[in-house]
Amino acid sequence: MKGIILAGGYGSRLHPITLAVSKQLLPVNDKPLIYYPLSALMLADVRDILIIAMPDDIPQLSRLLGDGSQLGISLSYAAQPVPQGLAEAFLIGADHIGDDEVALVLGDNIFHGNGFYDLLAEHRRNIDGCVLFGYPVTDPERYGVGEVDETGRLLSLEEKPEKPRSNLAVTGLYFYDRDVVEIARQVRPSARGELEITDVNRYYLEAGRARLVTFGRGFAWLDAGTPQSLLHASQYVHTLEDRQGVRIACLEEVALRMGFIDADACHRLGAKLSRSGYGEYVMAVASELAG
């Protein structure tokens, strides 16, 4: 399975902050925002990942993450000069996807909760169509909303409905089979000239090949695309990390625990950041797991 992080867009909801810096480089507690969606793909055992971003943002992201080899993964970059909808990611990334399945995650989404790894591992196997991930919300009229039957089969999709049929918001994490590129090519632009991912998902829905997996109680899904949500995300991460003594979305730890790198490599990565608490944590994890 290939991976795509859609980190494009102007970040206009965060202006003036994002007039000079990519939204994905803004801090969520002690690490850049892009660490969180990247860690989600790594936990899904996705190691070949394309990051799609605005042309001016690619050098900064590349400086931060490089080619990914230090984490035992492969990172490449592609430009999206003008944001034209989420489904454009499949057209920009068509060569990257090739004949493989693909996991798409939005660059400002944060996922955290017990059993996340197991859930990803279960649903990335034998994908026939698309797998969407739903999250119960109190204000579903603000989101794309999915309605499912008792087996998880998707029955309907509505974009910001006035009278939602369920309270399950469709999150920014998606798994697709190898047909998605051709399907995206058939999608007609919306009135705003964008290729809507909901239209791609509806294609699978109408073919009876769409499932919606619900994140359970105790799971957190955060969209850090506004000043308020960015602050709330930082507070959430800080509280958990401070009380539990662990780091959320620590890429070096994820790479070590997934078997992408060994303990020595992990320790070396931490040593480069040893003057920070983050670096000290990475070295401590590496030492703990060295045996």
Side-chain angles (χ1 to χ4, degrees):
M1 174 180 276
K2 300 293 181 61
I4 294 178
I5 300 175
L6 186 53
Y10 301 113
S12 56
R13 293 184 297 169
L14 284 160
H15 284 175
I17 303 171
T18 47
L19 290 174
V21 64
S22 166
K23 172 173 60 177
Q24 279 70 35
L25 294 175
L26 297 179
V28 175
N29 195 35
D30 61 347
K31 61 192 75 71
L33 174 55
I34 198 169
Y35 273 38
Y36 297 85
L38 178 53
S39 70
L41 292 183
M42 292 170 65
L43 285 169
D45 199 21
V46 177
R47 301 177 66 166
D48 192 351
I49 299 166
L50 176 69
I51 299 175
I52 298 175
M54 300 289 284
D56 290 344
D57 295 337
I58 289 177
Q60 297 173 311
L61 292 167
S62 178
R63 181 181 178 186
L64 173 69
L65 298 170
D67 64 3
S69 58
Q70 74 279 8
L71 297 170
I73 62 177
S74 175
L75 297 176
S76 53
Y77 303 85
Q80 184 187 40
V82 179
Q84 293 183 320
L86 304 186
E88 188 184 24
F90 303 120
L91 305 186
I92 295 173
D95 290 341
H96 169 72
I97 298 169
D99 292 328
D100 291 316
E101 298 166 338
V102 62
L104 171 68
V105 63
L106 304 188
D108 58 5
N109 275 215
I110 297 171
F111 302 88
H112 177 258
N114 290 332
F116 188 38
Y117 166 80
D118 292 332
L119 191 71
L120 295 175
E122 177 184 356
H123 292 286
R124 64 155 286 168
R125 292 194 296 264
N126 302 319
I127 296 175
D128 178 19
C130 73
V131 179
L132 312 180
F133 293 86
Y135 187 81
V137 295
T138 57
D139 50 354
E141 64 277 357
R142 294 181 52 226
Y143 302 92
V145 175
E147 178 190 14
V148 297
D149 64 15
E150 63 278 2
T151 68
R153 186 173 63 90
L154 195 60
L155 299 176
S156 70
L157 273 175
E158 300 175 287
E159 190 66 33
K160 298 181 179 178
E162 293 184 5
K163 296 181 179 180
R165 298 182 183 181
S166 84
N167 69 336
L168 293 178
V170 178
T171 70
L173 177 64
Y174 318 82
F175 291 171
Y176 294 96
D177 66 10
R178 63 189 63 188
D179 296 333
V180 70
V181 173
E182 187 57 36
I183 291 170
R185 288 185 175 131
Q186 298 175 32
V187 170
R188 294 183 178 181
S190 66
R192 297 185 300 175
E194 297 184 350
L195 300 178
E196 303 288 354
I197 199 163
T198 299
D199 291 334
V200 172
N201 296 336
R202 282 202 184 101
Y203 185 99
Y204 284 105
L205 168 63
E206 292 168 1
R209 299 171 58 212
R211 287 184 291 144
L212 183 69
V213 177
T214 303
F215 290 125
R217 180 175 296 180
F219 198 91
W221 167 55
L222 305 169
D223 175 351
T226 67
Q228 293 80 10
S229 60
L230 188 67
L231 175 60
H232 293 161
S234 290
Q235 292 170 332
Y236 172 84
V237 172
H238 171 73
T239 299
L240 284 184
E241 292 187 345
D242 185 56
R243 292 186 178 181
Q244 297 181 358
V246 298
R247 288 290 202 280
I248 297 171
C250 174
L251 299 182
E252 296 83 358
E253 180 178 11
V254 173
L256 175 58
R257 293 188 182 275
M258 291 295 295
F260 299 169
I261 59 174
D262 61 24
D264 288 341
C266 184
H267 195 279
R268 288 194 296 271
L269 292 174
K272 293 180 180 180
L273 307 170
S274 60
R275 298 184 66 180
S276 69
Y278 183 93
E280 291 175 354
Y281 174 82
V282 172
M283 289 190 292
V285 167
S287 297
E288 177 187 347
L289 299 179

